[in-house]
Amino acid sequence: MHNMASRRSIYFNPAASNERNTSPQIEGLTAFHQSFPNYAPTPLVQLPELAAELGVGKVLVKDESNRFGLPSFKVLGASWGCFRAIAAQLGLPSTVSLDELLIRAKEASIVLTTASMGNHGRAVAFMARLLGIEARIFVPRSLNQWTRDLIAGEGARLIVVQGDYDQAVQKAVDEVRVGQGVLLIQDTAFKGYEDVPAWIVEGYSTMMHEVQDELARLGLSGSMVITPAGVGSLAHAVAKHCKSQSTPMSVVVVEPDTAACLSSSLNAGKPVTVQTSSTIMDGMDCGTVSSTAWPDMQRLVDACVTVSSYESHCAVQYLTSKSVAAGPCGGASLAALRRLATSKEAMSLLNKDSVVILLSTEGAREYPVPKDVSVDDVVGLTQTLTQINSSNPTLSVTDGVGETEIANYLAAWFAHRDIEYHWIEKVAGRPSIVGVLRGSGGGKSLMFNGHIDTVSLSSYEADPLSGSIGTKNGKEVIFGRGCLDMKGGLAAGLAALAATKASGRVPRGDVIVAAVSDEEDASQGTQDIIEAGWRADAAVLPEPTQGAIFTAHKGFVWVEVDILGVAAHGSDPSSGEDAILYAGSFLQALEKYQSQLPVDDLLGQGSLHCGLIRGGEEPSSYPDKCTITVEFRTVPAQTEQSILGGISALLKKVAQQKAGFKYAEPRITMSRPTQKVAADHPFVQKAIACASAMLGGKPAVKAGPFWTDAALLGAVGIPSIVYGPAGEGLHAKEEWVEVESLQQFERVFTQLVQDFCY
């Protein structure tokens, strides 16, 4: 069940109802668009069932799925912007005909360029094709191939930028600086570039004039328009139009949760640039509000709503069922209306007589079906996370997909709740996400650290991504690869974070959830977040400990030893020396050596085993080298130096006892520290007390045989415990986590935040 209190709040501006726009109407604009081949107003479709469901008078959708053969309203602004920019460049009046402009633009070898997430670029390309001139369209690397092909299909030269939308804009700006006769047709204004974006905004007014004409024909008076926002160009045109009517209409603007630049700016009272992350609402994936749009938007917008990709997707499905062909940007307006209808503050804007116009700004298109980020409870979250493939790509012969998709989900999950998050990706394709609920100050900070990678899916017997609920050993469980190791534990940390946010009581200390990559292999993610400076007063790693608290575990060190021989043909024993046979002497000595390894009061004795042995080329040759990899499972008394010293001394002793025995100095190929927090440490005691109070019994306190990222956190001074849910099937052909255990951990972690951070 989604808790509304935990999601980003709607921005309301009651003063906007009294604001008016007095800028003059643009001459010749509607006539310009009507002069295009195949001009026709797009339909305004009534949705009576939706109006009845939401308790309003009328809901009408302006369907922009076909505008001059393009699936978007964008061509209205782009065409007027191109027309005015070319006319200005060539010293022609704004009343010049399209035919005259076409001839003069070709003569001057004008080139149009822009950056785009899709429809704006396609519209500029369309206009260039209409005029018979070149277009160069810059797109960010995240833009899908389908949309890239559509832009290129208009005859444009497509340039893919290895960066985000804002970086694509910069590349387009650079193109103008170096190119002769290159005109930038960008709908984002910035210092020194404001005329063209203003013309693009003007171009969108044709759509609003069509809305007014159709409402008049139906005998209706509009009371609210809901418009998507990217950089704010369309929303700017809508706001100016709505507030210039004799009976002004309310203006509601919608953005993706993951690109809430207008919402953030309105709340801050000044333009701010925000970090964006993946959304299906491609054309709205913008981090900065247009500088020309901002002053009017701040004054004229009545409300600003953010919605998730999933809400937009559901709206697309509803519109499709009503024969309105909409893409995710088009569905956003309906998603915003549904969100608005659940808000008490919106009663001043919505009532039983309201006539609401939804701008559906793009037609149907392909997009990946998103998962619901409104899920707050640990069971639903575990199911959702389990359904996302995040298998580790460096772990096995079967290629894993990496953590990008699950990181995108978590970024959207944090953004939906207006929780600050940071994307950390030092190795391409191996991102980690750190979400942080900032405290008011003076309290202790708590980190939940959980890995988002899983082992390979190929060893799983049933559907590894099912996330389905069933029974095992008489208990209700969730099935799927990684549900236990460790998406269930991570989900408990996320649920505790959401519950803390929803409570409305701000803790004094920060609450941090670090969702890290690559724990199953090289712990890249936790190393990355440590390097990025993330610290806390204590940490919980909710690995599956069957409800026990682990305060200590061994470290490990991998040592490679080369035993050397002399290569020779198998028929020439006088020349050859057998490195593999010599290795036997070392292995015998190693077996005796392990009994001398140090003993820890909590972890017991350090151990070693030979994990790998490699040597020889073929049966009929003497091997010149045999390489043995020894894994030490270490206790705190052991260091890299002491281990290397011990192995070196052992090799030296064997060489003294066996003639011809030669070796290279041993080397460490991998090393991870031990983890140990005293059982009487205040945080350990706090966790024990909290668990005892919530569950009615004291959890066992243990030392573990496994290794976890807790050791890396401990090494930088963060006292850490490993404490997580019950289940079975780690890395096995079937894996499950117990539902009741997950629910217990959601409660315990929520209480631990209360006890530790407030």
Side-chain angles (χ1 to χ4, degrees), residues 621-638:
S621 294
Y622 277 79
D624 66 346
K625 187 169 73 170
C626 179
T627 302
I628 297 164
T629 303
V630 184
E631 181 182 71
F632 287 82
R633 288 286 166 160
T634 59
V635 297
Q638 293 173 287

Side-chain angles (χ1 to χ4, degrees), residues 292-308:
T292 46
W294 167 250
D296 283 337
M297 301 285 274
Q298 188 181 25
R299 196 169 58 86
L300 303 176
V301 166
D302 294 85
C304 184
V305 181
T306 71
V307 297
S308 69

Side-chain angles (χ1 to χ4, degrees), residues 730-748:
L730 299 183
H731 302 198
K733 63 184 181 181
E734 185 179 56
E735 184 176 351
W736 67 89
V737 62
E738 294 177 11
V739 166
E740 186 183 3
S741 181
L742 288 173
Q743 291 166 334
Q744 288 174 344
F745 272 90
E746 177 178 0
R747 296 199 304 275
V748 170

